[in-house]
Amino acid sequence: MRNASLLSSMVVLALSTAVRAAGAPADPVTTSDAAANKAIEARVSIATQLGPQHAALAKYLGRWDVDIVLPRMAAHSKGTAEYFWVIEGRWLGCRIKGTMLGQPFEEFTILGYDSYSQSAVEVSVESTDNSMVMSRGSSTDSTQSSSVLFGEAPIQKVAFTFTKAKP
């Protein structure tokens, strides 16, 4: 009996809440929410489209010979790099292998174009330390011979010069 009474009270409460909600005036924030949602949808649409900067990334695909330099130590060594699509048409991966100061060296980088921030972006990790370097910079397009990216280097960063490998 007690459960039936509790159940009927809950049904009455639910029905009265629904009736009040149906007759209540519209929330005044709804109109501005719709406008805000349209603005967000427009920005998301722009941020998710592929553009010429993404297409320009394809010029890096393939094998490269790499000159590995520690600028402050004037140390040079040779290595190889391979660029490949991590996400087709959007994000490149690059694995560099070589030596540095006589020791094996490896770096893995993800490179792409962030349509939302409208900049080239890169994140890289390497075998010589435990840091992850994130960089942003000039956009990549087919007329540029290089991209300039800036990020924080916790210790001395390595510089690379790429030359397209001969088949």
Side-chain angles (χ1 to χ4, degrees):
M1 179 74 169
R2 189 170 190 198
N3 287 341
S5 175
L6 180 59
L7 181 60
S8 65
S9 295
M10 289 174 50
V11 168
V12 169
L13 178 62
L15 287 174
S16 65
T17 302
V19 168
R20 268 188 277 137
D27 185 356
V29 180
T30 304
T31 304
S32 63
D33 282 352
N37 285 342
K38 276 193 167 195
I40 290 169
E41 286 173 13
R43 293 198 68 186
V44 166
S45 175
I46 290 169
T48 58
Q49 292 176 13
L50 294 175
Q53 297 87 350
H54 297 97
L57 292 169
K59 72 182 177 185
Y60 297 113
L61 291 171
R63 291 184 48 83
W64 298 75
D65 294 321
V66 181
D67 185 25
I68 302 170
V69 180
L70 282 168
R72 292 187 187 158
M73 299 176 75
H76 290 261
S77 61
K78 298 291 182 187
T80 60
E82 174 121 19
Y83 278 94
F84 52 91
W85 289 116
V86 174
I87 305 289
E88 184 79 28
R90 293 184 186 272
W91 296 99
L92 284 176
C94 178
R95 185 169 301 279
I96 298 172
K97 290 185 177 185
T99 59
M100 182 184 304
L101 302 174
Q103 298 296 313
F105 173 80
E106 186 173 356
E107 179 174 293
F108 181 74
T109 298
I110 295 178
L111 172 69
Y113 181 76
D114 181 339
S115 300
Y116 193 76
S117 68
Q118 297 182 2
S119 62
V121 292
E122 175 185 89
V123 61
S124 60
V125 292
E126 57 189 41
S127 61
T128 58
D129 63 40
N130 297 320
S131 65
M132 179 179 284
V133 177
M134 292 172 259
S135 307
R136 291 191 174 274
S138 64
S139 74
T140 57
D141 69 36
S142 57
T143 63
Q144 291 179 302
S145 60
S146 65
S147 291
V148 179
L149 302 173
F150 298 93
E152 293 184 23
I155 58 174
Q156 179 177 328
K157 192 64 181 151
V158 179
F160 302 103
T161 302
F162 294 82
T163 307
K164 191 71 170 173
K166 295 185 172 121

